[in-house]
Amino acid sequence: MLKQLTILTAFAACFVFGTNVNAQAPAAPAAAPAELSLDKLMPAPEKLDMKLFELPKDASAADLLKFVEGLEAKIPQPKSEAEMKQLVEAMSKTFNAVAEKILAMEKATPEEKAEAQQLKIVALSAKTSLDPSDKAAAEELKAFTDTMIKNAKTVDEKVKAWQMKLQAIVGAGQSPDVFEKLNALADEALKEKEDELQILGLEVKAQSCLSKGKQDPAATGEMVKFMEGILADAARSEKVRMKASELKFLGLLLDSDKDPAKQEALDKFFKELIAKDAPLESKKALYQLRLQSLMDPKKASPENDKKAAEVVELLLKEKAPELRSLGIAVKSSLLLKAAKENPEKVNDLFTFADSILANNPTPEQKEQVLGIKVQAYIAKSQADPKATDELLAFIDKSLAENPQGKILTSLANIKIQVLINKVMEDSKRLSELEKTFAEFSKNPDLKQLVDSVLPIIYMVRIKSVADQKGSIEDLNKILADIKKLMDKEEGAADLVIQSQDAIKKIGENNNAPDLWTKTVKDFADFCAASANEKVKKQGSAFSGIIEVSELIGKPIAFEGVQVGAKENGQFNSSSLSGKVYMIDLWSTSNAAYFETIEDLKNLYEGYKEKGFDIVGINLDENTQMLQRAIQVFGMPWPVVSSKLTKDGGKALPEVFTAAGSGTKILVDKEGKALLVSGDMNEIKAKIASLLGEPAKKAEEKKEDPKK
């Protein structure tokens, strides 16, 4: 199916269900104009071009389908209900015209004709959703789908035709008789001789009952009775009866949620189904449904915990490896949860893992055991730091058994990650990491893993030089290797930039306070002189850092669109004149930034009474998530977008983008840049030197009533 079909159905659904497409849009008129007026559809300068819906002449089926796909990027978002109705009508006519042309083409492929049928269904469904009283459109839609079913030659074609008929009913909108139509469709499908169509009928009936259940709680009971009728029909195949059993179980499950007294009937039916020699996927679905219900946090109780444990034990006794693997996964997660709550129970995880190994596990289950033991050691390390060394010993023992494939990669990856964490805590263990990395580098099966962790290895090496008070010469050897890497990896420049603090520390240790500046200039020159385009491209990162550093002492002035303000109003840095303020550069893709939000809020609250302020500059190319991020994290300061402009205004200075997410620029009362840094401690110290100690919190100011 064309993904672009969702455009029209989404707009039609919004119209049918009254969704407000734009919270700031004015109230929609009671009815759309009688004639389609494309000039009035969008306010200037966003008029919808009449040519947008003109079909290309003498186009092939492929060209027409591409034309439909291209509409997605061209159509504007409607700003009122009337505009939406007009747009749906225009697109419906276009989709229908394209479908008719392709279906009439002798040279169109079966795939193209199938897509044209989908277009026709969507177009006619949208038409009936606009006007449920349009009986002619409804009859045309029914006749078209019935013809598709009649002309279907194979079972697959027939099933697809029935699915399109279902799509037509749903796509036509939530008319008063929608449930009757769905039930009628289910009854029709159940009269067909093919199992696949009968199963489709059962699923439609279940969907009808479940949808109706939102309004009528008795609908799930109706679903159970219907499925029991199917099960009582000896003429139905075992395949159809199994599907009816699954759906009856689902109905009982939902009924028992409403009435706990029905739990006994549910448990009894579940055990009956599990005891049958049912298809693997059916059994798996039943187990998953039951466990999902029993382990729902909202239904937590000792009784449900006991039942969940019983279901897991049934899974572990199943013959099918896939079902046993499911049981292993669920039981290990339950044991891990218990171990986190009580560290003394971690041994239960080890015991369970060993019991799996003693019962002829599959390769997949051996990999599960690996995961269980790793989790057990990690849980154990919360109370005993030595457990990570035990984990390394376990991995070495496992590697000595010469595992292959995923198990080898998993073991190697875990060992590397554990050692990296060890080195971050104690840089003296770098040699152990280097030795392991060298061994893994010789194994061609681990090439992808080695390549992926190589950047982290370089950063750990630089940090180790800083921690061990190594020489500038030691650093230069690592930087020389990074320069070689830049020929292959476009992101190699990030290794240097992310090691900024470590390089500065090496400079301090060696009485070279300008080491970071020299390193940046050296890499900028190296990139500029390179004949390799990959290396040249990375030079912009270093040039940006130089440009940002040159801001110090210079006036800062900017204006832009403040997101979240009334109608996304204009913000001008002149409004902060006379204040010490901080420009906070960030992006929604920088997860590490959000970890600093609370620290920033405390800084803001501590100094706002002393004239301090913050203005956020968002660097996202796509601003779709921006408003949501501001709301979720509750930023109390203004946030300006670097990409949004208003009334012909200019974009924010490019130097902000060059500085990158996470960078802060401190500006003095005269509007000049004082400090550019990503180090919060450095920024706090500078603010304290300018404004003194932060104000105490209100609760800290309250005097003791006894004094």
Side-chain angles (χ1 to χ4, degrees):
M1 183 195 292
L2 287 170
K3 69 174 184 177
Q4 281 69 23
L5 295 182
T6 57
I7 310 167
L8 185 54
T9 51
F11 281 150
C14 287
F15 175 75
V16 172
F17 297 111
T19 303
N20 189 355
V21 294
N22 190 324
Q24 296 175 351
E35 296 296 326
L36 183 65
S37 176
L38 293 176
D39 283 345
K40 294 179 180 178
L41 188 60
M42 285 287 121
E46 298 179 275
K47 285 183 181 179
L48 188 63
D49 189 351
M50 189 70 172
K51 294 180 180 179
L52 183 65
F53 295 109
E54 290 181 6
L55 303 188
K57 295 180 181 178
D58 302 322
S60 65
D63 290 336
L64 287 169
L65 291 172
K66 284 180 182 177
F67 166 77
V68 171
E69 290 180 2
L71 284 178
E72 181 177 24
K74 296 175 183 176
I75 59 172
Q77 183 175 358
K79 295 185 177 180
S80 71
E81 202 167 274
E83 290 174 359
M84 187 189 301
K85 184 174 181 178
Q86 291 172 325
L87 184 55
V88 171
E89 185 176 340
M91 292 183 71
S92 176
K93 288 179 180 178
T94 303
F95 280 23
N96 195 46
V98 168
E100 291 288 356
K101 279 199 168 190
I102 294 175
L103 292 172
M105 290 180 179
E106 293 183 4
K107 292 183 178 180
T109 67
E111 292 77 14
E112 290 168 341
K113 289 202 172 187
E115 290 194 23
Q117 288 174 333
Q118 290 272 36
L119 276 175
K120 179 90 173 172
I121 294 287
V122 172
L124 292 175
S125 298
K127 190 176 181 183
T128 54
S129 75
L130 286 173
D131 185 3
S133 65
D134 188 343
K135 293 182 179 180
E139 285 299 319
E140 184 182 0
L141 181 58
K142 183 180 184 303
F144 182 71
T145 52
D146 286 344
T147 301
M148 287 176 58
I149 292 172
K150 183 179 178 180
N151 293 339
K153 296 177 181 178
T154 65
V155 174
D156 283 346
E157 286 179 2
K158 209 168 184 180
V159 170
K160 286 179 181 176
W162 277 94
Q163 287 173 337
M164 286 191 186
K165 190 166 186 176
L166 172 62
Q167 179 187 337
I169 294 173
V170 176
Q174 197 159 353
S175 58
D177 60 347
V178 65
F179 297 122
E180 286 75 7
K181 286 182 178 179
L182 287 172
N183 288 333
L185 179 67
D187 291 338
E188 281 185 68
L190 283 164
K191 291 175 184 175
E192 295 287 333
K193 63 181 180 180
E194 294 88 356
D195 286 351
E196 291 82 357
L197 291 172
Q198 291 183 35
I199 287 172
L200 176 65
L202 292 176
E203 290 173 339
V204 171
K205 179 67 179 180
Q207 187 58 54
S208 172
C209 290
L210 293 176
S211 299
K212 190 178 179 182
K214 296 175 183 178
Q215 305 164 13
D216 179 8
T220 49
E222 178 187 330
M223 172 177 160
V224 171
K225 287 181 181 178
F226 183 86
M227 298 305 161
E228 286 176 341
I230 297 294
L231 290 170
D233 185 353
R236 302 286 181 183
S237 72
E238 189 59 35
K239 193 174 180 181
V240 173
R241 289 159 63 83
M242 191 62 218
K243 174 56 69 173
S245 295
E246 290 176 30
L247 294 172
K248 176 187 173 181
F249 175 72
L250 177 60
L252 287 171
L253 192 64
L254 295 172
D255 262 355
S256 67
D257 286 344
K258 301 168 192 170
D259 183 1
K262 295 182 179 180
Q263 278 285 349
E264 187 175 344
L266 172 66
D267 290 335
K268 182 181 177 182
F269 188 62
F270 173 71
K271 288 175 182 176
E272 288 175 5
L273 289 177
I274 293 305
K276 290 182 178 180
D277 189 19
L280 174 63
E281 287 305 313
S282 294
K283 262 196 171 184
K284 187 176 180 181
L286 289 168
Y287 272 118
Q288 288 174 325
L289 274 172
R290 189 67 185 120
L291 285 169
Q292 186 179 1
S293 173
L294 291 170
M295 296 171 68
D296 185 344
K298 296 177 182 177
K299 306 175 190 173
S301 70
E303 180 65 20
N304 278 353
D305 289 344
K306 182 182 177 182
K307 286 183 179 180
E310 290 173 357
V311 173
V312 171
E313 291 306 317
L314 287 173
L315 272 169
L316 292 171
K317 291 175 183 177
E318 288 280 1
K319 294 179 181 179
E322 191 172 347
L323 294 178
R324 289 203 306 276
S325 294
L326 176 61
I328 291 169
V330 177
K331 183 162 184 175
S332 62
S333 67
L334 291 172
L335 290 173
L336 180 63
K337 180 183 176 183
K340 287 180 178 178
E341 293 171 353
N342 182 0
E344 292 181 4
K345 291 188 176 182
V346 72
N347 288 329
D348 293 343
L349 266 172
F350 288 109
T351 302
F352 177 59
D354 291 335
S355 70
I356 298 168
L357 292 175
N359 285 284
N360 300 317
T362 64
E364 291 76 15
Q365 289 165 357
K366 284 184 178 180
E367 190 172 355
Q368 281 184 292
V369 171
L370 166 66
I372 294 169
K373 287 207 168 186
V374 167
Q375 289 175 325
Y377 281 117
I378 292 172
K380 188 177 179 181
S381 68
Q382 293 175 349
D384 180 11
K386 293 180 181 178
T388 51
D389 288 322
E390 293 178 25
L391 172 58
L392 289 172
F394 164 71
I395 293 173
D396 286 339
K397 181 182 177 182
S398 302
L399 286 170
E401 297 173 1
N402 298 314
Q404 302 296 318
K406 288 183 179 179
I407 296 180
L408 169 63
T409 304
S410 297
L411 286 166
N413 186 36
I414 294 166
K415 183 170 184 179
I416 286 287
Q417 296 303 325
V418 171
L419 287 174
I420 286 173
N421 290 336
K422 288 280 187 184
V423 176
M424 297 301 282
E425 295 169 3
D426 180 6
S427 57
K428 292 179 181 178
R429 299 192 68 162
L430 177 63
S431 59
E432 188 178 352
L433 173 61
E434 295 279 22
K435 181 182 177 183
T436 300
F437 186 74
E439 290 174 359
F440 290 166
S441 297
K442 296 174 185 176
N443 190 331
D445 294 335
L446 295 176
K447 185 180 185 307
Q448 187 174 357
L449 170 65
V450 167
D451 290 345
S452 68
V453 300
L454 184 59
I456 304 173
I457 299 293
Y458 277 120
M459 292 172 63
V460 169
R461 287 170 179 165
I462 294 174
K463 183 181 183 299
S464 180
V465 173
D467 291 345
Q468 297 299 310
K469 296 187 176 180
S471 67
I472 294 176
E473 184 179 349
D474 294 331
L475 170 66
N476 286 338
K477 289 178 182 178
I478 301 171
L479 295 179
D481 287 340
I482 292 177
K483 286 179 179 177
K484 294 176 185 177
L485 185 66
M486 291 175 79
D487 285 337
K488 303 174 184 177
E489 300 289 337
E490 291 186 7
D494 293 339
L495 303 179
V496 182
I497 295 168
Q498 292 173 24
S499 299
Q500 176 180 344
D501 291 342
I503 293 173
K504 284 183 176 180
K505 187 175 179 180
I506 295 169
E508 293 170 5
N509 293 339
N510 289 275
N511 198 27
D514 60 346
L515 179 62
W516 169 244
T517 303
K518 285 184 176 180
T519 300
V520 171
K521 288 183 177 179
D522 174 51
F523 270 84
D525 293 340
F526 170 76
C527 293
S530 176
N532 188 315
E533 286 302 317
K534 285 184 179 179
V535 178
K536 276 187 178 296
K537 188 176 179 180
Q538 294 175 75
S540 61
F542 298 106
S543 300
I545 292 172
I546 294 171
E547 186 179 354
V548 171
S549 66
E550 291 174 349
L551 284 175
I552 304 298
K554 293 182 179 178
I556 295 287
F558 61 91
E559 61 180 274
V561 175
Q562 181 180 342
V563 182
K566 187 177 181 181
E567 296 180 356
N568 281 347
Q570 200 77 4
F571 180 89
N572 196 307
S573 59
S574 62
S575 64
L576 300 172
S577 180
K579 286 186 174 184
V580 172
Y581 71 93
M582 184 178 75
I583 298 172
D584 176 37
L585 303 170
W586 66 284
S587 65
T588 55
S589 60
N590 182 1
Y593 167 78
F594 293 110
E595 295 176 7
T596 69
I597 288 287
E598 289 305 314
D599 208 8
L600 286 171
K601 286 183 181 178
N602 291 336
L603 186 68
Y604 177 75
E605 292 296 328
Y607 283 102
K608 67 178 182 180
E609 293 178 7
K610 296 190 174 187
F612 175 73
D613 215 332
I614 295 176
V615 56
I617 302 290
N618 179 265
L619 305 175
D620 287 343
E621 289 287 342
N622 186 339
T623 59
Q624 191 173 5
M625 295 294 293
L626 178 52
Q627 180 75 56
R628 178 67 178 151
I630 295 171
Q631 292 172 346
V632 169
F633 292 98
M635 299 172 182
W637 48 81
V639 175
V640 179
S641 170
S642 64
K643 300 303 172 187
L644 295 177
T645 58
K646 192 171 184 179
D647 300 329
K650 296 180 180 178
L652 294 176
E654 291 183 4
V655 68
F656 291 154
T657 304
S661 178
T663 303
K664 325 288 181 192
I665 303 173
L666 198 60
V667 183
D668 65 16
K669 293 180 180 180
E670 284 73 43
K672 295 180 180 179
L674 277 174
L675 177 68
V676 179
S677 177
D679 185 341
M680 281 298 293
N681 290 327
E682 186 178 12
I683 290 168
K684 287 177 185 177
K686 190 67 176 177
I687 293 173
S689 70
L690 295 169
L691 302 175
E693 290 300 312
K696 292 184 178 180
K697 294 180 181 178
E699 59 268 22
E700 293 175 348
K701 291 180 180 180
K702 292 179 181 178
E703 293 185 4
D704 188 334
K706 294 180 182 179
K707 290 184 180 179

